Amino acid sequence: MSNHYVETRTQAELEALFRQDLKTGVGRPIKHESGDKHTTGEAIYIDDRLEFPNQLHVYARMSDRAHARIISIDTSPCYAFDGVAIAITSKDVPGELDIGPVVAGDPLLAEGLVEYYGQPVIAVAADSLETARKAAMAAIIEYEDLEPILDVEEALEKEFYVLDPHQHKRGDAEAALAKAPNRIQGKLHIGGQEHFYLETQISSVMPTEDGGMLVFTSSQNPTEVQKLVASVLDVPMHKIVIDMRRMGGGFGGKETQAAGPACLCAVIARLTGRPTKMRLPRMEDMLVTGKRHPFFARYDIGFDDAGRLQGVKIDLAGNCGYSPDLSGSIVDRAMFHADNAYYLGDALITGYRCKTHTASNTAYRGFGGPQGMMAIEEIMDHIARTLGKDPLEVRKLNYYGKDERNVTHYYQTVEHNLMQEMTEELEGSCEYARRRAEVIEFNRNSPVLKKGLALTPVKFGISFTATFLNQAGALIHVYTDGSIHLNHGGTEMGQGLNTKVQQVVAEVFQVETDRIQITATNTDKVPNTSPTAASSGADLNGKAAFNAAMTIKQRLVEFAARHFNVTEEDVEFHNGQVRVRDQYLAFEALIELAYFNQVSLSCAGFYRTPKIFYDRDKAAGRPFYYYAFGLACCEVLVDTLTGEYKFLRTDILHDVGASLNPAVDIGQVEGAFVQGMGWLTTEELVWNDKGRLMTSGPASYKIPAVADMPIDFRVKLVENRKNPEDTVFHSKAVGEPPFMLGIGAWCAIKDAVASLGDYRIQPQIDAPATPERVLKGAQQIRAALKQSHA
Ligand code: MTE
Ligand code: QUE
Ligand code: MOS
């Protein structure tokens, strides 16, 4: 037996293999890399890891006041419980107390003041979670209550902000409004949304040598956790290693707010010298962590008699909760999407970051974009009802067009706009005109049950608007047996990022994906990474891995040309084999040969997005590398005496450029649509007048279930439209854009209710359109009709 690679196949057999195509390369609908493990339960999440000996469990006692001064904290009663190791307050944090991601504002434990019901005040570590919880509840905390502000409109009125207002401006909106033939105003409340990842926030920390820590965390942002753990411990970042294999869902909720549990564990591990774990029970997770920002929007718009916008003034007030977190960028993204797919004319968009005494709201799929789009989609419906037109006609009339009608209110030109052709395609394939006529006919003969139909577009800007974040790294090793180790700075949260990056590397080396081992995201392999967010995980990390793989491949090509005395053009990789002029050898044979000839088989790759720039002071530039487009047509049946509804059918046409993996992408589109529909229909967050979140579990907070899906659900990806920009294999990002297709569901409900007033009255149906709100909208129209008949 030899340890060396021995070829047993003939040249003819190798050549035949060479001529076949790769089965798992780019563009193939292969299943998720962990799909089997997800379904059998073999996928390892942090809570599934073997526990370290002598490990502590942490429970944080939360504030039960929305706004209060802390008079005193007595933790001595905690120590009466057997198994309690330590009870800490803000004073025990050795380094920096604040863990705010961009600017300060988030103390790890409250100091002197609590600013929301649910804010962690003390943390207790014990040998079981149950003991830690009982002990934490025994501590004595005295408060002096202060007046909380809980309402976003009140905060706006009082100019109670976490950050300053900001504007996007084009032309003279006031003058355009004054001379427009039609002018209307309106208001809209848009609800928040709980992330409801299946795996709650969790971290497990092991103290290592030299004051270091090995941190397992369920985070979209390992580098930021590394930085914050180092900062609360007052050690350099090089002491801290973050390991992140997978999350049981993130959806933006683990972009900043995974850091809290990791930092608390690290502080306790430092103080006790023991390994430490913290996993938030569902209710604690829902009380402590922030959600999607609720928004209050108001508008004043002018349009011509056809329904074409001439000028808009839109105020977008985000309810940020008690601290800034990422609210600066989130409200910015809402403002960037206040146009959605439409040319606004002269525009003044103002974003407010309102402070309330609630948990600090954070990233959530779409990152403010969905809330910004809700305002303009409400405006489209409002124009249609005012003029008595089909809302789709008004939408199409306002689409970005050619020449001067293709520049956004932040001065980016909308290039390669697919909206018009995609609308034509979906209108045809979903038979919009025929079904519109049928819906009108049905409603004429049905006084109580009403059908609604809506076809709504999505245009979503791809890139972090904080331009520096658009960078990524990767690390590839090829071992001497031809197996490949792949690491990159992105994180897997179920979205299929690892599968896609694996396919990219498979394509470059022309080997099947089973030869490529995916490994945990790790800060000591790829440093200084951006969060996996803004839908750009595959765009950025796919390119970084592509660059690393291409470098190794080029070394192999140069080596083979030299070694076999041929030209570089004579060396070709295909389907696991390498052709060297007219000779064939297996990929692993070439790798072994390269190793013996001292060729480096490991490489780090880097990528930065080209072309983008943005000057926030001027509110102008090209913040987005490109746009992703999508459309949904939703049909609903509403009972206008109860407000209940059922979605009958949804047709989606969505643009992912040249798909890296159509199976994963269709899964993303379906999941995002249903999550967006849930946001705008059944997912209602309710706080009481003391600022306590009353919907703190699945019994009172209703996410969509299988039976809430449209009965007939048809999802199609745009064909033959690769991304014209030089993205990884000309694909487009998919993670967030289809979330906003859910707006079609909300518009369909409003369409059904508007039929009560012969489509001439716009019902006020704030989001989420729960049955109660739908019923109120129906009653509003019935009352208006009664008044006009009297
Ligand atoms: N899909 C699953 N299954 N789970 C998730 O947590 N997060 C979404 C989206 N799709 C998410 C998901 C969000 S908020 C983003 S920004 C993207 O995935 C991030 O991954 P990507 O950039 O690799 O697409
Ligand atoms: C979309 C995003 C993010 C974003 C901008 C987007 C995001 C994010 C940040 C951000 C901004 C400034 C920082 C920082 C992060 O901006 O997720 O650390 O200093 O974290 O358009 O998803
Ligand atoms: Mo997604 S909200 O950008 O994590």
Side-chain angles (χ1 to χ4, degrees):
M1 280 291 283
S2 156
N3 281 329
H4 292 213
Y5 182 77
V6 179
E7 187 54 76
T8 55
R9 292 164 298 187
T10 65
Q11 278 291 309
E13 284 168 338
L14 290 173
E15 181 178 353
L17 283 171
F18 180 88
R19 298 203 178 285
Q20 288 167 26
D21 276 334
L22 215 52
K23 292 182 187 66
T24 55
V26 158
R28 303 285 177 154
I30 65 170
K31 61 184 169 188
H32 190 289
E33 133 272 323
S34 290
D36 291 345
K37 289 181 281 185
H38 292 155
T39 43
T40 59
E42 287 165 288
I44 295 173
Y45 298 87
I46 291 172
D47 215 28
D48 300 318
R49 298 182 62 86
L50 282 180
E51 298 211 334
F52 296 112
N54 211 23
Q55 178 182 271
L56 291 169
H57 296 263
V58 180
Y59 184 87
R61 164 97 173 259
M62 302 172 295
S63 161
D64 54 7
R65 318 290 165 104
H67 190 200
R69 225 183 304 283
I70 300 174
I71 305 296
S72 66
I73 300 177
D74 179 6
T75 56
S76 57
C78 305
Y79 292 95
F81 294 80
D82 253 5
V84 170
I86 196 167
I88 65 166
T89 70
S90 64
K91 306 221 167 8
D92 298 301
V93 175
E96 173 67 46
L97 179 65
D98 203 283
I99 59 165
V102 183
V103 290
D106 300 280
L108 181 57
L109 292 169
E111 188 169 59
L113 186 72
V114 289
E115 294 205 89
Y116 73 97
Y117 191 114
Q119 182 171 2
V121 180
I122 66 165
V124 176
D127 53 19
S128 79
L129 179 58
E130 198 39 38
T131 304
R133 193 186 66 81
K134 282 187 189 145
M137 297 319 284
I140 298 162
I141 306 174
E142 282 186 319
Y143 296 103
E144 178 196 329
D145 278 315
L146 301 168
E147 204 52 49
I149 289 184
L150 299 168
D151 181 60
V152 62
E153 273 189 271
E154 183 187 345
L156 184 63
E157 186 70 30
K158 294 183 171 157
E159 301 186 6
F160 192 50
Y161 304 138
V162 293
L163 295 166
D164 288 339
H166 181 61
Q167 290 192 319
H168 294 172
K169 193 172 172 184
R170 173 174 54 207
D172 186 345
E174 198 58 65
L177 290 177
K179 63 173 192 255
N182 305 282
R183 183 169 176 176
I184 54 177
Q185 292 88 25
K187 290 177 179 181
L188 185 68
H189 279 278
I190 303 154
Q193 187 176 24
E194 162 61 32
H195 297 87
F196 228 103
Y197 26 61
L198 290 184
E199 179 203 38
T200 54
Q201 305 279 3
I202 183 166
S203 183
S204 163
V205 172
M206 175 72 173
T208 56
E209 277 190 8
D210 301 325
M213 295 283 166
L214 170 59
V215 179
F216 298 93
T217 172
S218 180
S219 167
Q220 293 172 242
N221 202 346
T223 290
E224 187 167 274
V225 174
Q226 178 193 20
K227 189 170 172 182
L228 292 172
V229 166
S231 149
V232 296
L233 296 182
D234 195 21
V235 300
M237 284 172 80
H238 70 213
K239 301 273 190 213
I240 311 299
V241 175
I242 310 292
D243 179 289
M244 203 322 287
R245 173 60 185 91
R246 60 168 66 77
M247 283 162 271
F251 306 112
K254 294 173 180 172
E255 198 179 321
T256 59
Q257 304 205 0
C263 290
L264 273 181
C265 285
V267 167
I268 287 167
R270 156 62 62 79
L271 296 174
T272 60
R274 291 169 67 177
T276 304
K277 178 157 97 176
M278 181 173 194
R279 173 179 59 80
L280 298 187
R282 178 65 65 184
M283 189 176 84
E284 278 77 354
D285 191 294
M286 290 183 73
L287 290 174
V288 173
T289 65
K291 296 144 208 334
R292 177 185 296 286
H293 291 57
F295 266 68
F296 168 64
R298 56 185 180 211
Y299 55 86
D300 187 351
I301 59 161
F303 50 96
D304 66 17
D305 292 330
R308 195 182 284 240
L309 284 170
Q310 298 186 327
V312 306
K313 280 198 340 194
I314 303 175
D315 288 338
L316 297 168
N319 178 344
C320 302
Y322 86 102
S323 79
D325 187 88
L326 296 172
S327 300
S329 294
I330 288 168
V331 176
D332 275 358
R333 190 169 271 273
M335 295 164 69
F336 283 122
H337 289 81
D339 59 343
N340 191 8
Y342 314 113
Y343 182 75
L344 297 179
D346 288 351
L348 182 64
I349 314 292
T350 311
Y352 299 93
R353 289 132 184 106
C354 297
K355 172 165 175 167
T356 60
H357 293 105
T358 58
S360 189
N361 290 321
T362 191
Y364 195 139
R365 209 169 193 168
F367 205 77
Q371 294 94 318
M373 281 187 202
M374 282 290 284
I376 194 70
E377 292 305 333
E378 169 77 359
I379 288 169
M380 289 297 137
D381 282 352
H382 200 168
I383 295 173
R385 301 311 169 210
T386 306
L387 298 177
K389 286 192 149 200
D390 186 321
L392 179 59
E393 287 311 310
V394 176
R395 290 190 161 94
K396 290 197 290 190
L397 192 67
N398 282 288
Y399 277 173
Y400 279 108
K402 301 242 149 50
D403 306 325
E404 75 276 15
R405 286 185 60 88
N406 67 356
V407 178
T408 65
H409 56 290
Y410 47 90
Y411 302 97
Q412 171 158 358
T413 301
V414 182
E415 293 175 315
H416 315 296
N417 188 352
L418 300 179
M419 204 52 94
Q420 224 145 343
E421 66 169 85
M422 283 174 62
T423 305
E424 266 168 46
E425 182 179 341
L426 186 68
E427 243 190 294
S429 66
C430 81
E431 299 184 278
Y432 183 87
R434 178 182 66 74
R435 286 166 62 209
R436 170 58 73 194
E438 277 177 16
V439 163
I440 289 172
E441 186 57 22
F442 175 91
N443 290 342
R444 195 170 288 142
N445 299 309
S446 174
V448 172
L449 295 180
K450 298 288 185 182
K451 283 186 177 177
L453 189 67
L455 198 159
T456 58
V458 169
K459 162 182 137 290
F460 193 75
I462 302 299
S463 294
F464 287 96
T465 54
T467 304
F468 72 93
L469 289 172
N470 295 288
Q471 57 173 308
L475 179 65
I476 294 177
H477 308 316
V478 184
Y479 293 111
T480 53
D481 63 355
S483 68
I484 298 169
H485 173 109
L486 168 61
N487 200 269
H488 57 81
T491 58
E492 177 65 41
M493 57 194 100
Q495 85 277 39
L497 173 62
N498 281 342
T499 312
K500 288 180 172 180
V501 180
Q502 199 180 27
Q503 286 177 278
V504 166
V505 174
E507 189 70 34
V508 172
F509 286 121
Q510 284 292 305
V511 297
E512 301 294 351
T513 49
D514 59 9
R515 214 192 259 270
I516 302 167
Q517 181 63 44
I518 282 166
T519 55
T521 310
N522 192 307
T523 54
D524 67 11
K525 285 188 186 157
V526 176
N528 309 329
T529 55
S530 294
T532 307
S535 301
S536 58
D539 280 20
L540 298 176
N541 297 284
K543 269 285 194 186
F546 177 85
N547 289 341
M550 285 300 282
T551 303
I552 296 176
K553 186 178 177 182
Q554 184 54 32
R555 289 181 199 151
L556 290 169
V557 168
E558 281 168 20
F559 159 69
R562 200 164 62 237
H563 186 80
F564 293 103
N565 198 20
V566 298
T567 67
E568 288 185 14
E569 289 68 43
D570 287 329
V571 184
E572 191 185 351
F573 291 64
H574 207 247
N575 192 37
Q577 323 301 322
V578 187
R579 180 180 66 81
V580 181
R581 192 168 287 164
D582 46 13
Q583 188 192 333
Y584 295 87
L585 69 166
F587 177 79
E588 52 268 52
L590 178 66
I591 294 298
E592 197 185 66
L593 201 58
Y595 167 74
F596 280 117
N597 287 277
Q598 297 159 293
V599 175
S600 167
L601 294 171
S602 171
C603 185
F606 183 78
Y607 175 73
R608 67 189 288 266
T609 308
K611 295 189 181 178
I612 50 176
F613 62 95
Y614 186 65
D615 182 339
R616 192 169 185 268
D617 294 330
K618 295 203 179 84
R622 177 183 179 170
F624 303 119
Y625 190 24
Y626 62 88
Y627 295 100
F629 301 96
L631 292 147
C633 180
C634 299
E635 184 177 348
V636 70
L637 181 64
V638 175
D639 180 335
T640 58
L641 286 185
T642 66
E644 293 165 293
Y645 45 81
K646 175 82 207 161
F647 288 97
L648 303 176
R649 175 169 162 186
T650 291
D651 294 64
I652 288 172
L653 180 62
H654 195 80
D655 157 41
V656 296
S659 176
L660 291 172
N661 182 328
V664 165
D665 285 348
I666 286 175
Q668 284 290 297
V669 175
E670 290 174 345
F673 170 78
V674 172
Q675 196 172 38
M677 187 190 86
W679 169 47
L680 297 173
T681 55
T682 62
E683 295 186 42
E684 188 178 30
L685 292 161
V686 178
W687 289 265
N688 71 9
D689 59 358
K690 301 270 186 289
R692 176 181 182 174
L693 178 66
M694 302 309 285
T695 47
S696 57
S700 50
Y701 185 78
K702 169 98 183 59
I703 62 172
V706 169
D708 298 308
M709 292 216 314
I711 296 168
D712 186 351
F713 193 14
R714 311 181 190 194
V715 175
K716 219 175 143 256
L717 303 177
V718 175
E719 283 168 10
N720 303 321
R721 285 288 176 274
K722 63 181 200 173
N723 191 340
E725 298 296 344
D726 177 22
T727 53
V728 61
F729 293 97
H730 295 281
S731 61
K732 281 193 183 183
V734 68
E736 293 167 292
F739 179 90
M740 285 143 276
L741 296 172
I743 296 172
W746 177 70
C747 290
I749 290 174
K750 291 195 294 174
D751 187 66
V753 175
S755 73
L756 289 169
D758 202 23
Y759 300 103
R760 295 308 302 259
I761 306 168
Q762 167 84 336
Q764 180 74 37
I765 302 182
D766 288 339
T770 56
E772 292 91 326
R773 290 212 181 89
V774 174
L775 182 57
K776 266 172 69 183
Q779 285 168 339
Q780 170 210 334
I781 291 184
R782 289 199 174 102
L785 290 175
K786 215 179 262 172
Q787 203 159 28
S788 69
H789 289 158

